[in-house]
């Protein structure tokens, strides 16, 4: 099986991530580091991770100018079904 190739982008406003990755590259290859992170995530994945992802999506939507108030967020959380959760998980 040939190697799979993926491209990731890091926004310029995430300068702390860029700096961290540059320092990390000095001790381990970036591909090896990403594979290690993915393996750890696969081993440690549980239901609570989903809630963190939903919170992250809501936070990013708010940062992008979409307003979600607490009441709307609670109602939105109640209306998220399994299919919606799968779609969100596919984005990550």
């Amino acid at each position: 099986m040939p190697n799979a190739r993926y491209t990731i982008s890091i926004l310029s406003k995430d300068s702390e991530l860029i700096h961290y990755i540059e320092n990390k590259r000095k001790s381990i290859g970036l591909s090896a580091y990403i594979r290690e992170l993915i393996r750890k995530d696969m081993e440690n994945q549980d239901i609570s991770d989903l809630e963190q992802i939903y919170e992250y999506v809501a936070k990013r939507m708010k940062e992008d100018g979409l307003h979600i108030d607490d009441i709307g967020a609670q109602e939105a959380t109640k209306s998220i079904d399994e299919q919606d959760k799968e779609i969100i998980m596919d984005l990550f």
Side-chain angles (χ1 to χ4, degrees):
M1 180 171 145
N3 291 344
R5 295 182 149 262
Y6 298 95
T7 301
I8 63 168
S9 298
I10 300 174
L11 302 175
S12 59
K13 70 179 183 178
D14 290 329
S15 59
E16 70 279 358
L17 294 178
I18 295 169
H19 180 71
Y20 182 81
I21 289 171
E22 288 301 320
N23 286 333
K24 193 60 131 169
R25 286 177 55 183
K26 295 175 184 173
S27 63
I28 186 172
L30 189 56
S31 293
Y33 178 62
I34 298 297
R35 288 192 308 269
E36 182 181 321
L37 289 176
I38 293 169
R39 283 189 186 101
K40 285 181 182 178
D41 190 44
M42 289 170 58
E43 293 169 1
N44 298 324
Q45 193 172 32
D46 64 24
I47 306 270
S48 65
D49 290 343
L50 294 175
E51 294 304 320
Q52 292 175 350
I53 290 172
Y54 304 145
E55 289 174 16
Y56 174 78
V57 169
K59 177 182 170 235
R60 289 301 305 263
M61 289 171 66
K62 189 174 182 179
E63 288 173 353
D64 289 342
L66 299 171
H67 179 70
I68 301 174
D69 58 12
D70 289 338
I71 295 170
Q74 290 173 359
E75 290 173 5
T77 302
K78 290 177 187 175
S79 67
I80 295 175
D81 61 16
E82 290 303 313
Q83 185 177 11
D84 294 332
K85 291 179 181 179
E86 288 179 23
I87 290 170
I88 291 172
M89 289 302 294
D90 287 344
L91 295 173
F92 297 91

